[in-house]
Amino acid sequence: MTNSAVQEFWDAAACGEVAYALGDTPAERFANQSLERYRLEPFIEKFAAFDEGLNVAVLEIGVGMGADHERWARSGPRRLCGIDLTPRAIELTSERFALQGLHSELQVGDAEHLPFADRTFNMVYSWGVLHHSNDTPQAIGEVARVLRPNGFARIMIYHKWSIVGLLLWLRYGRLSSSLESIYAKHLESPDTKAYSKSEATAMFEAAGLKIVAMDVELSPGDLLAGGAGQRHKGRLLSTLRRLWPRRLLRLLARPLGLYLMIWAVRPANVRAGS
């Protein structure tokens, strides 16, 4: 699988564009997408800590419709850059920024080959993107390369042992089906990946990044909330949505969430990619 297939999938519509970007004008669509994003995923704000972008160089990998990128812009960074594999996402984020009078260096780019010099950024942020890359370890290595020593990475990738994974396996799997193949074939773009905590730790350490914190959160998919599961419509899913014990899951099943949130640093004495 190549990244061209991933690009084609997401260029049809950016994440959240169909389900949440509702309204009669572009301004309404962007506002509604942001409101729904942070309603369904309120933990993004704590994870990102957007205010820490003040007076530093920030890169976001995978800007999507630009909701998070707008928050980074409003934090007052010294330099803000955003890349996305898809022209559609760059078009939408550019339109959002033009409406808001904000600035960022936006360009189409591949996370496996970031178009920036070594040690360019104080912070690299990516929410739910790098697991779609054909070579995720290579993309993590690129994050390390463009970070300055003591720079921070805040990366969310998918967690293997999730309720979403179980639901997909129950619907599409057989006794011989691996969870990896289920994610690759049935979760979002082709060849999507998910990682255990130990696999993620090994991948980040191989890139020269030190993980300082790691947490798991329930996604809208785990909770069958919002527009989750649009690829898997059917009577059974509709019934599950009505009966799903969301309150109980929030109380007891957070370790089985799809979102693996990783805070990492590039140590000053470690060479990226080592």
Side-chain angles (χ1 to χ4, degrees), residues 137 140-145 204-209 266 270-274:
I140 299 297
E142 282 289 276
V143 170
R145 180 183 66 78
F204 274 66
E205 288 180 349
L209 294 171
R266 177 182 172 179
V270 174
R271 183 177 178 180
S274 64

Side-chain angles (χ1 to χ4, degrees), residues 56-105:
V56 300
V58 178
L59 168 66
E60 181 177 1
I61 303 174
V63 296
M65 287 195 68
D68 291 354
H69 209 60
E70 179 181 339
R71 296 292 300 273
W72 286 115
R74 294 189 183 282
S75 74
R78 184 177 70 253
R79 180 185 182 188
L80 177 62
C81 298
I83 73 161
D84 201 285
L85 190 62
T86 68
R88 179 62 177 163
I90 297 303
E91 174 189 338
L92 287 167
T93 300
S94 297
E95 183 179 12
R96 179 192 286 263
F97 270 47
L99 287 169
Q100 299 292 336
L102 300 171
H103 173 73
S104 174
E105 300 171 37

Side-chain angles (χ1 to χ4, degrees), residues 204-222:
F204 274 66
E205 288 180 349
L209 294 171
K210 178 182 178 181
I211 292 178
V212 296
M214 185 183 294
D215 203 2
V216 175
E217 278 288 356
L218 293 164
S219 72
D222 298 305

Side-chain angles (χ1 to χ4, degrees), residues 1-10 85 110 134:
M1 189 65 63
T2 65
N3 283 332
S4 61
V6 178
Q7 182 186 57
E8 182 179 354
F9 180 94
W10 291 109
L85 190 62
D110 189 335
N134 181 56

Side-chain angles (χ1 to χ4, degrees), residues 39-226:
R39 183 186 73 82
L40 290 169
E41 302 169 314
F43 37 79
I44 289 177
E45 298 188 71
K46 180 179 179 181
F47 172 71
F50 295 112
D51 290 347
E52 294 182 14
L54 180 64
N55 293 327
V56 300
V58 178
L59 168 66
E60 181 177 1
I61 303 174
V63 296
M65 287 195 68
D68 291 354
H69 209 60
E70 179 181 339
R71 296 292 300 273
W72 286 115
R74 294 189 183 282
S75 74
R78 184 177 70 253
R79 180 185 182 188
L80 177 62
C81 298
I83 73 161
D84 201 285
L85 190 62
T86 68
R88 179 62 177 163
I90 297 303
E91 174 189 338
L92 287 167
T93 300
S94 297
E95 183 179 12
R96 179 192 286 263
F97 270 47
L99 287 169
Q100 299 292 336
L102 300 171
H103 173 73
S104 174
E105 300 171 37
L106 294 165
Q107 61 179 303
V108 174
D110 189 335
E112 295 175 21
H113 306 283
L114 293 175
F116 304 104
D118 296 358
R119 304 185 178 197
T120 297
F121 298 98
N122 304 95
M123 187 177 300
V124 176
Y125 171 80
S126 184
W127 181 266
V129 174
L130 300 185
H131 47 238
H132 296 302
S133 181
N134 181 56
D135 190 342
T136 299
Q138 167 70 17
I140 299 297
E142 282 289 276
V143 170
R145 180 183 66 78
V146 302
L147 270 176
R148 293 175 179 170
N150 297 317
F152 285 93
R154 293 171 186 158
I155 310 291
M156 187 277 279
I157 54 178
Y158 285 161
H159 181 221
K160 181 185 292 184
W161 308 114
S162 70
I163 296 171
V164 162
L166 174 62
L167 290 173
L168 290 173
W169 190 88
L170 288 173
R171 177 159 185 177
Y172 299 106
R174 299 173 182 171
L175 291 179
S176 60
S177 300
S178 69
L179 200 51
E180 288 82 0
S181 69
I182 294 295
Y183 281 121
K185 294 177 182 177
H186 302 291
L187 182 61
E188 299 177 332
S189 58
D191 204 28
T192 294
K193 303 166 187 68
Y195 296 88
S196 68
K197 287 185 175 182
S198 61
E199 289 169 341
T201 298
M203 181 167 59
F204 274 66
E205 288 180 349
L209 294 171
K210 178 182 178 181
I211 292 178
V212 296
M214 185 183 294
D215 203 2
V216 175
E217 278 288 356
L218 293 164
S219 72
D222 298 305
L223 296 171
L224 297 183

